[in-house]
Amino acid sequence: MENEKLKERLSSIKSLPTLPVVASNVIQLTQNPDSTAPEIADAISQDQSLSSKVLMTANSAYYGFPGKINTINYAIVVLGLNNIKNIVLSTSIMERFSESDDDFLFDRKQFWQHSLLCGIISKKISEHMGIKNFEEMFMCGLLHDFGKVVLDTYFHEEFVQALEMAKTQEIPIKDAEYKIFGFNHSGVGALLLKRWSLPPSMVKSVEFHHKPDEKKSVKRTASIVHVADYLCRRIGIGSGGDDVTPTLNKKAWNLLELNAEIIKKMTIPIIQEFKSATGFLGNEKDSE
Amino acid sequence: MKKERLKENHQFLAKTISGLTDHIDLFETVQDLSRKIISQFDRKKIFQTFSQIVKEVVAYKYAAIFLFDKTDKSFFEAYNTGIPKNRLIKHLPEEKVITWVMYQGRWTVITDFEDKKATKIYSILPIVGREQSLGFMYIVTDNDESFYNRKFTSILGFVASQTAIALENLRLYDKIKSSQAYLQNMVESISNGIMAIDMEGKVTLINRNTTAILGIKTRQIIGRHYMDFLKGGLKKEVNKIHKEIQSKGYAVESMVSYRPYKEVQITVGITASLLTDQNKETIGTIVVFRNMSASTEIKRLTRLDKMKSEFVSNASHELRTPLSIIKSYTEALLTQVEHEDIETREHFLSVIDSETDHLTGIVSNFLDVSRIESGTYGLDYSQFSLKELVNSVIVRFKAKLTNIDIFTDFKGDTHVLDADEDKIREVLINLIANSVKFSPTGGIVSITVLERDKSVICSISDTGIGIPKDQLPFIFDKFFRVDNSDTYEIEGTGLGLSIVKHIVESHGGSMVAESILGKGSVFTFSLPKKRR
Ligand SMILES: [Fe+2]
Ligand SMILES: [Fe+2]
């Protein structure tokens, strides 16, 4: 039901947002086991502004490499393909959806801060759990609420209604969205990421970040994103567009084997990393 | 149109599948090779295999493996390949770069391909264990920009993780080995024999004392069944105890007489206890062997000690008797016997004379013993005839004895010896006195002297009370006196026979005693004719 409505609505959009061609090429290349570093560097170099963003992020304190990275090629072999993929993907998406409409209720800057923080917490939890591919978990966290941007861009009036409803009725935005659209941002985000042929595990983790115990195949990763999302509100940096702290899914919490002590220990490194990662937001120049 | 698309899809699928198959093939190969790493328990071999596999992925010019030293927080080169001997890798990256790469934990190229001056490409492959970084491989390749891709990154990461496992296993293995050596040392330092056997009866541990005590010559005992190499009564007894402990949970110490080597007879004490694992499950039996002969020696020493204290009391008694006789006879001579009564005086004086002889004999025995013990007992050699010596000695006995007959029998002609005459006289006096002492009234003491090629043999036999068989081996021990409390009260220090034996042996002769209880004893000594 929900899904059909969603598909119906999205098909009404004449031009669905696409990933910039260069970014899409790069992502495909990084996923191909045989692509060489120069091939990928060539693809990135097609977009001058992407190239400079990649270099800027590669040299940022977030990665902290003790040396200067002057070429894209070097950035690729030093940071590795997963990091490069993440840098390209996140900078492209954020650049594409960063323009704020001066909307009072949905501040894009606040939104991407929320997303970035959620990405970093997801990564930290994964590291703590010994999950190898923690860089992908960063992307899951970063893109978990991506659907909100899509709704805000393509169904702006209705989305503003949902935001107002969430505010006045003091309900979570996802519930307000559901009341108005018959679906919510998690499904929208997932659908779009799927179209961009991002890894299925990432797509599913985004789709189930509100109900992580409902999909077995991504129980772990969706739980990480869910708990990270919850912790974002507790830390109080950024905003997802609503003020209601969502209820924490107990099963997800238990699955991660966390406790107050561990969270307390993690908080400082998380905030430090957040500060060093603002390059991802493309506004490093602003803060300088 | 539709057909076209299908065809396209089909081509795409076929391509994807063949790509996938290629990757699966590659991963299977790598997995096989990695198994080779994990199965190694030798550091150099682990490094060799690791380097070989890496070389199949990245055709390096040379590579070196560095390991972290936990104690001084540095790394050292543990292995290299492709470098001329005795040379280390030059141009090691900055330490902060290494630290950064180790934190990232993945294969990282640290040379910029686009750097025109770079003739070689350097990369670091971290070896990260379950809990800590173990080290890294430093790889140097020609400047070939095409070798960095996802496939190689994941393969190298996998191989490095397998190497880490192998190294950690090796550490555990070494730990186990050293604790085993520790245990072995402990087991070896125990003076008893210890042998552990598993539920099937196969030996899992044995110490050298076991093989020494039991005289086992079998080389490889570990892994063999105890029934295979144990012999005789011991085998039966161990089997019995093993069965007993496995069925009842305890076993009583048992003793078995055993001959570990020719002409060595020992008593072995055997005890056993159950061997259990950490879950208290029985996994075997520990058998402990004790050489009880050692405790027999202790028994002998304790007995000797007891004999010494008995001697002190005997000796004082021995000395007191003649002394008190001398004293009372002297007193009587001085106060009671009339000057005129010459007969009584003569008799009293002869008693005093013989008691003084007795006393002198006892004292000289004591002196001999102490000389023997201090090693100052020397021999004064001269040529004399044993026949004449025997005759001169028995004259003295015959003068005093009226109720015991002494016979002599000399076979041969000369009976000439080169020996210490005084000492041999002492031997004869002691032996004859001994025979006389234990003979009842009307008994006979006979002395036989035989002549052989190089020796003279002398036997002194009596028709006395004899010596019990169990006491016969000890009669030449110092202070030993035949326990005859329920037969006669016969005085003696118990020093005589031990001195006799010592004198005979210090001449290079030998001494034996035979006896039948109630019938009599024969003491025989032989002396070489010529001084050695
Ligand atoms: Fe959400
Ligand atoms: Fe959120």
Side-chain angles (χ1 to χ4, degrees):
Chain A
M1 252 319 253
E2 198 180 310
N3 229 359
E4 269 167 32
K5 252 185 210 156
L6 172 64
K7 277 185 184 158
E8 205 182 287
R9 282 307 292 273
L10 283 185
S11 65
S12 71
I13 306 169
K14 283 202 182 87
S15 57
L16 254 182
T18 51
L19 209 54
V21 183
V22 172
S24 158
N25 281 344
V26 171
I27 286 154
Q28 269 198 10
L29 278 172
T30 55
Q31 278 165 354
N32 179 349
D34 292 320
S35 306
T36 64
E39 279 169 13
I40 296 161
D42 268 359
I44 294 172
S45 303
Q46 301 296 310
D47 184 333
Q48 205 46 53
S49 108
L50 181 66
S51 296
S52 62
K53 280 214 173 91
V54 167
L55 281 181
M56 195 175 77
T57 317
N59 282 296
S60 73
Y62 180 77
Y63 290 110
F65 178 68
K68 190 98 183 96
I69 299 171
N70 286 319
T71 66
I72 299 290
N73 224 320
Y74 197 34
I76 294 168
V77 294
V78 166
L79 299 182
L81 296 165
N82 284 335
N83 281 326
I84 289 298
K85 186 182 83 183
N86 290 343
I87 294 171
V88 170
L89 188 59
S90 54
T91 47
S92 305
I93 291 172
M94 278 185 280
E95 195 174 56
R96 177 95 171 64
F97 297 98
S98 68
E99 68 271 16
S100 195
D101 298 353
D102 291 328
D103 202 312
F104 223 46
L105 291 167
F106 196 67
D107 185 331
R108 288 290 169 92
K109 201 178 166 186
Q110 288 274 317
F111 169 77
W112 283 116
Q113 280 184 350
H114 166 71
S115 301
L116 183 62
L117 187 63
C118 186
I120 288 166
I121 298 174
S122 299
K123 187 179 96 173
K124 283 281 167 197
I125 294 174
S126 313
E127 271 178 350
H128 170 77
M129 291 169 69
I131 289 174
K132 252 196 163 181
N133 200 0
F134 48 80
E135 290 298 344
E136 187 171 311
M137 286 315 297
F138 169 77
M139 286 311 292
C140 290
L142 185 77
L143 298 176
H144 79 285
D145 276 345
F146 180 56
K148 287 179 190 173
V149 187
V150 179
L151 292 175
D152 187 40
T153 311
Y154 294 94
F155 307 106
H156 185 67
E157 273 167 40
E158 282 160 291
F159 186 60
V160 169
Q161 264 180 44
L163 289 167
E164 276 167 352
M165 186 194 275
K167 202 170 182 129
T168 50
Q169 294 184 17
E170 289 181 9
I171 54 169
I173 179 86
K174 67 173 169 73
D175 296 342
E177 284 165 353
Y178 190 78
K179 281 185 181 172
I180 288 169
F181 295 102
F183 51 83
N184 67 35
H185 65 265
S186 59
V188 180
L191 199 95
L192 215 61
L193 296 180
K194 195 178 166 191
R195 281 227 180 146
W196 292 350
S197 27
L198 292 182
S201 64
M202 194 191 283
V203 174
K204 291 284 173 209
S205 301
V206 168
E207 188 175 350
F208 288 91
H209 80 270
H210 297 139
K211 37 186 183 179
D213 56 317
E214 280 181 24
K215 186 83 182 171
K216 257 197 182 158
S217 62
V218 291
K219 211 157 113 186
R220 266 171 114 68
T221 50
S223 292
I224 291 170
V225 176
H226 174 82
V227 171
D229 190 17
Y230 172 83
L231 291 173
C232 281
R233 319 276 179 136
R234 295 276 300 270
I235 290 173
I237 294 175
S239 166
D242 55 358
D243 297 324
V244 185
T245 305
T247 40
L248 179 66
N249 185 306
K250 275 271 180 280
K251 278 184 194 163
W253 173 259
N254 291 338
L255 187 74
L256 307 193
E257 288 173 357
L258 292 170
N259 59 45
E261 196 62 35
I262 299 171
I263 299 296
K264 219 171 151 186
K265 262 190 205 158
M266 268 185 195
T267 309
I268 299 293
I270 283 170
I271 292 170
Q272 272 171 350
E273 200 157 301
F274 176 79
K275 278 183 185 159
S276 70
T278 40
F280 274 104
L281 298 178
N283 55 3
E284 191 135 289
K285 273 173 191 149
D286 302 350
S287 57
E288 269 172 3
Chain B
M1 183 73 181
K2 220 177 174 183
K3 221 177 170 183
E4 239 354 55
R5 259 185 83 183
L6 252 166
K7 205 178 158 192
E8 238 173 64
N9 278 345
H10 182 75
Q11 271 175 354
F12 174 76
L13 264 172
K15 207 178 143 195
T16 314
I17 288 168
S18 98
L20 271 172
T21 320
D22 278 357
H23 292 145
I24 290 168
D25 284 352
L26 187 66
F27 257 95
E28 276 178 347
T29 316
V30 172
Q31 223 163 17
D32 281 350
L33 292 168
S34 303
R35 236 173 258 138
K36 253 170 77 186
I37 301 182
I38 294 188
S39 60
Q40 306 284 2
F41 279 103
D42 174 87
R43 208 163 81 165
K44 202 176 168 200
K45 281 201 179 129
I46 292 173
F47 291 156
Q48 272 172 355
T49 320
F50 178 36
S51 310
Q52 276 165 17
I53 300 172
V54 170
K55 191 154 196 171
E56 294 203 13
V57 180
V58 181
Y60 54 73
K61 271 178 90 77
Y62 40 86
I65 294 166
F66 290 85
L67 292 181
F68 287 113
D69 190 325
K70 259 202 268 177
T71 44
D72 56 328
K73 285 177 180 143
S74 62
F75 49 82
F76 61 94
E77 189 177 313
Y79 178 85
N80 69 46
T81 170
I83 307 173
K85 267 194 181 151
N86 303 325
R87 270 177 58 196
L88 297 176
I89 280 227
K90 287 189 225 159
H91 313 297
L92 209 64
E94 281 178 275
E95 205 170 321
K96 57 184 178 183
V97 174
I98 295 172
T99 312
W100 185 83
V101 173
M102 290 311 294
Y103 180 74
Q104 304 291 313
R106 59 180 154 72
W107 180 44
T108 303
V109 178
I110 54 168
T111 311
D112 188 351
F113 296 136
E114 289 179 31
D115 183 351
K116 292 287 179 294
K117 280 176 272 168
T119 52
K120 292 190 181 65
I121 302 291
Y122 298 92
S123 63
I124 298 171
L125 175 57
I127 305 166
V128 183
R130 260 160 298 182
E131 259 148 37
Q132 83 256 45
S133 297
L134 303 176
F136 60 89
M137 184 187 253
Y138 189 49
I139 304 167
V140 183
T141 53
D142 279 330
N143 193 346
D144 170 16
E145 51 187 36
S146 66
F147 82 120
Y148 185 86
N149 65 31
R150 181 177 286 279
K151 186 164 74 190
F152 294 160
T153 309
S154 58
I155 290 173
L156 291 183
F158 178 73
V159 178
S161 73
Q162 299 300 296
T163 304
I165 292 170
L167 288 175
E168 284 183 335
N169 284 350
L170 188 66
R171 275 182 200 185
L172 279 174
Y173 181 73
D174 285 346
K175 234 184 180 172
I176 291 167
K177 265 212 318 219
S178 75
S179 68
Q180 233 170 15
Y182 174 74
L183 192 74
Q184 190 68 37
N185 270 334
M186 278 192 7
V187 169
E188 289 299 349
S189 69
I190 296 168
S191 59
N192 291 334
I194 289 180
M195 178 177 85
I197 47 183
D198 64 12
M199 297 303 278
E200 290 169 34
K202 285 184 180 148
V203 175
T204 54
L205 179 143
I206 191 159
N207 69 349
R208 250 171 269 137
N209 274 325
T210 309
T211 48
I213 292 171
L214 305 182
I216 297 169
K217 289 193 192 86
T218 316
R219 287 252 173 106
Q220 188 55 47
I221 293 174
I222 301 285
R224 289 188 52 184
H225 199 284
Y226 67 88
M227 294 292 271
D228 281 0
F229 57 84
L230 292 181
K231 294 173 285 180
L234 190 75
K235 175 175 170 174
K236 240 166 125 184
E237 203 59 38
V238 169
N239 198 34
K240 200 188 97 195
I241 283 203
H242 176 56
K243 295 260 156 65
E244 192 176 324
I245 193 131
Q246 288 298 340
S247 62
K248 288 197 278 182
Y250 64 89
V252 184
E253 174 161 23
S254 70
M255 270 181 260
V256 61
S257 186
Y258 180 66
R259 228 176 244 284
Y261 309 99
K262 258 187 191 167
E263 286 162 22
V264 178
Q265 177 92 32
I266 59 164
T267 306
V268 181
I270 311 165
T271 43
S273 52
L274 282 177
L275 190 63
T276 57
D277 64 5
Q278 67 265 40
N279 302 321
K280 302 266 178 260
E281 298 270 1
T282 306
I283 53 168
T285 307
I286 297 181
V287 187
V288 179
F289 300 98
R290 217 144 56 86
N291 183 353
M292 307 294 277
S293 306
S295 48
T296 314
E297 174 64 16
I298 292 168
K299 263 188 207 157
R300 201 183 71 81
L301 290 173
T302 324
R303 207 187 52 230
L304 194 66
D305 210 46
K306 203 180 144 212
M307 288 195 302
K308 253 181 184 168
S309 53
E310 271 176 11
F311 165 74
V312 172
S313 72
N314 275 340
S316 51
H317 182 67
E318 286 286 304
L319 290 170
R320 200 177 291 125
T321 317
L323 276 173
S324 58
I325 294 170
I326 292 167
K327 177 126 176 80
S328 53
Y329 275 78
T330 316
E331 260 177 26
L333 266 177
L334 290 171
T335 55
Q336 288 163 30
V337 180
E338 300 290 325
H339 261 283
E340 296 76 35
D341 188 355
I342 292 173
E343 202 179 320
T344 313
R345 283 175 64 144
E346 287 261 307
H347 173 62
F348 277 25
L349 279 171
S350 76
V351 170
I352 291 169
D353 179 51
S354 101
E355 286 307 316
T356 310
D357 277 352
H358 188 190
L359 207 56
T360 312
I362 295 168
V363 171
S364 82
N365 269 0
F366 286 171
L367 283 173
D368 286 346
V369 169
S370 65
R371 276 196 211 115
I372 290 168
E373 290 205 321
S374 63
T376 55
Y377 194 78
L379 296 174
D380 188 9
Y381 280 90
S382 65
Q383 295 255 342
F384 63 92
S385 158
L386 187 62
K387 184 177 172 182
E388 281 167 28
L389 187 64
V390 170
N391 283 330
S392 78
V393 169
I394 56 172
V395 166
R396 282 189 59 184
F397 278 96
K398 280 184 168 165
K400 288 180 185 177
L401 298 167
T402 49
N403 48 5
I404 290 167
D405 283 328
I406 299 178
F407 296 110
T408 54
D409 181 9
F410 299 103
K411 288 169 183 157
D413 325 307
T414 57
H415 313 108
V416 174
L417 286 172
D418 189 9
D420 186 325
E421 195 174 354
D422 288 341
K423 299 273 157 55
I424 301 304
R425 178 181 289 118
E426 228 175 291
V427 168
L428 288 168
I429 292 170
N430 261 300
L431 289 176
I432 296 166
N434 211 53
S435 296
V436 167
K437 198 157 66 180
F438 290 102
S439 293
T441 307
I444 295 163
V445 171
S446 37
I447 301 163
T448 313
V449 179
L450 289 169
E451 202 168 357
R452 288 278 150 85
D453 244 13
K454 286 174 179 169
S455 59
V456 177
I457 298 161
C458 176
S459 307
I460 295 120
S461 59
D462 60 58
T463 51
I465 50 176
I467 301 161
K469 207 178 176 182
D470 60 330
Q471 297 188 27
L472 200 59
F474 307 113
I475 56 162
F476 294 112
D477 284 0
K478 232 186 290 173
F479 312 125
F480 181 83
R481 294 181 68 217
V482 175
D483 183 5
N484 46 22
S485 49
D486 37 313
T487 50
Y488 287 78
E489 180 50 47
I490 289 164
E491 294 159 347
T493 54
L495 283 175
L497 286 175
S498 91
I499 293 167
V500 165
K501 188 164 194 248
H502 182 86
I503 292 170
V504 169
E505 283 175 353
S506 61
H507 277 90
S510 63
M511 174 96 232
V512 282
E514 296 152 286
S515 185
I516 297 170
L517 197 64
K519 294 232 164 130
S521 315
V522 183
F523 288 87
T524 307
F525 67 89
S526 78
L527 288 168
K529 284 180 180 170
K530 291 265 155 62
R531 177 181 178 175
R532 290 195 179 175

